[in-house]
Amino acid sequence: MDPYEVNEHEIELDETKNLEIDLLLQGIYQLSGYDFRQYMRSSIWRRIKNRMRVEKVPTVTRLLEKVIHEPAFIKVLLDDFSINVTEMFRDPHFFYSFRTKVVPLLKDLPEIRIWHAGCSTGEEVFSMAILLHEENLLEKAKIYGTDMNENILEKAKHGMFPLGKMQNYTKNYLKSGGTHSFSEYYTTDHKYAHFHSALKKNIIFFQHNLVTDRSFNEFHVIICRNVLIYFNTNLQQQVHELFYESLCPNGFLALGDKETIRFVTRADSYIEFDAAEQIYRKV
Ligand SMILES: C[S@@+](CC[C@H](N)C(=O)[O-])C[C@H]1O[C@@H](n2cnc3c(N)ncnc32)[C@H](O)[C@@H]1O
């Protein structure tokens, strides 16, 4: 579990700290365009505290000074704020549900467009490519993997993941309904598993910020898991508008296991397709 997934009420923030954080986030926004002003305060605060510890500065305002006077420092905070925890076939039961319930409804489409929003280092995207390959759908699929963080997208493009993680990923793959031997999909060196380039053929990775960028296509499936959990309610509403606009009629929206559409205004525009796995269908 991501150690940063904290309860909103767990950390008390006083007025001064809140003001300093407001100013820091405003500074980052004005100087870089990255907008963290509506991220969950508790989680942002946790990261700011870590950074203060590393930089050995006593106040948030000192970080703001660095943001203003040392342009490269914004990238450091951007990496701090973008939590990249992910794994292949994460929550295998979700992938099982996708394979057994959603895939049959996609089979007859001439082209299948899937958007992984907030894809981190790409493990989720490669999992989907493998699943679609096994269902004979990869050829007609276009999988868009986007994230706000360019650095991690560079990693995603390589499709190579630490060898030490393959044991766990193999277990996930099998639980998710995988039908082959997982090791068929990669070759190894002493450190990494390199996934076959045939899997990458229909994957497009590029930078997209859910807070500030617009819709860029119409999708049959949008998968945005373990991202909205870091946004406040207002920002979640905004991003759900973006997803609604970007989904085809009858398209599927999948969220993470701690996320729900129930409390957003757009909830009425969806049916719960698989409530246990947070898979919704646009009506
Ligand atoms: C915890 S990871 C989730 C990865 C993957 N979806 C999964 O469930 O395993 C969250 C990702 O969301 C990305 N993210 C955070 N804010 C974002 C935004 N405004 N726009 C796009 N991606 C964002 C982060 O950079 C990070 O890579």
Side-chain angles (χ1 to χ4, degrees):
M1 141 138 191
D2 172 4
Y4 292 120
E5 281 172 12
V6 291
N7 183 319
E8 176 73 336
H9 305 291
E10 203 177 285
I11 305 163
E12 294 277 339
L13 273 169
D14 61 30
E15 240 177 83
T16 313
K17 282 197 200 85
N18 255 319
L19 173 61
E20 288 186 285
I21 294 172
D22 282 344
L23 295 172
L24 175 69
L25 300 183
Q26 184 65 34
I28 294 173
Y29 178 54
Q30 271 181 234
L31 291 171
S32 71
Y34 285 104
D35 190 355
F36 297 102
R37 293 174 299 173
Q38 295 196 74
Y39 279 48
M40 294 285 267
R41 252 319 138 89
S42 55
S43 133
I44 287 283
W45 172 225
R46 177 85 53 114
R47 279 162 194 78
I48 289 175
K49 275 201 297 188
N50 284 343
R51 183 48 53 191
M52 286 165 61
R53 217 173 290 135
V54 174
E55 302 293 328
K56 299 191 173 50
V57 296
T59 63
V60 179
T61 302
R62 290 284 177 82
L63 294 183
L64 175 59
E65 273 177 34
K66 285 171 85 65
V67 162
I68 295 171
H69 298 292
E70 299 169 29
F73 189 66
I74 290 187
K75 273 208 173 291
V76 174
L77 288 182
L78 171 64
D79 282 339
D80 286 345
F81 293 163
S82 99
I83 301 115
N84 306 132
V85 180
T86 186
E87 54 184 61
M88 292 193 80
F89 294 97
R90 183 178 191 175
D91 305 320
H93 37 86
F94 162 75
F95 282 92
Y96 182 79
S97 171
F98 192 89
R99 188 190 280 265
T100 53
K101 296 180 186 165
V102 177
V103 160
L105 301 174
L106 302 176
K107 285 214 146 132
D108 293 333
L109 293 170
E111 180 185 74
I112 305 168
R113 290 183 300 276
I114 301 182
W115 177 18
H116 287 268
C119 69
S120 187
T121 32
E123 285 82 340
E124 190 182 72
V125 177
F126 278 89
S127 308
M128 183 56 75
I130 289 171
L131 187 160
L132 294 176
H133 164 73
E134 291 181 3
E135 297 297 324
N136 295 317
L137 293 179
L138 186 57
E139 280 300 313
K140 62 173 177 175
K142 280 216 165 64
I143 312 176
Y144 298 81
T146 66
D147 202 281
M148 69 168 174
N149 186 335
E150 275 174 302
N151 292 341
I152 58 159
L153 281 174
E154 280 312 308
K155 291 191 188 163
K157 284 176 192 165
H158 290 119
M160 51 189 250
F161 306 119
L163 201 51
K165 296 197 168 169
M166 287 307 124
Q167 205 179 352
N168 185 34
Y169 292 174
T170 304
K171 276 190 206 151
N172 283 355
Y173 164 76
L174 292 173
K175 280 191 207 158
S176 78
T179 55
H180 291 219
S181 156
F182 190 52
S183 58
E184 273 176 32
Y185 293 109
Y186 58 83
T187 52
T188 60
D189 61 25
H190 61 293
K191 256 178 130 178
Y192 290 101
H194 299 253
F195 280 77
H196 294 322
S197 49
L199 292 170
K200 293 183 204 165
K201 215 178 74 187
N202 295 358
I203 299 176
I204 305 147
F205 285 109
F206 64 94
Q207 190 198 25
H208 179 276
N209 192 320
L210 289 167
V211 184
T212 47
D213 292 331
R214 304 298 314 153
S215 175
F216 60 92
N217 208 331
E218 207 180 44
F219 300 95
H220 304 100
V221 179
I222 297 177
I223 297 182
C224 184
R225 306 180 67 230
N226 309 299
V227 180
L228 298 184
I229 195 172
Y230 300 109
F231 296 178
N232 74 16
T233 317
N234 194 44
L235 186 53
Q236 288 186 28
Q237 295 274 10
Q238 181 189 316
V239 176
H240 274 294
E241 286 305 316
L242 173 68
F243 289 160
Y244 181 78
E245 251 177 66
S246 309
L247 263 182
C248 300
N250 297 320
F252 294 94
L253 173 67
L255 304 177
D257 68 348
K258 295 185 204 74
E259 296 157 340
T260 174
I261 204 173
R262 258 175 234 149
F263 308 111
V264 298
T265 324
R266 271 289 167 209
D268 291 347
S269 310
Y270 293 87
I271 54 153
E272 288 187 340
F273 181 77
D274 182 341
E277 300 303 335
Q278 275 67 246
I279 303 176
Y280 304 93
R281 193 168 196 194
K282 181 172 170 176
V283 287

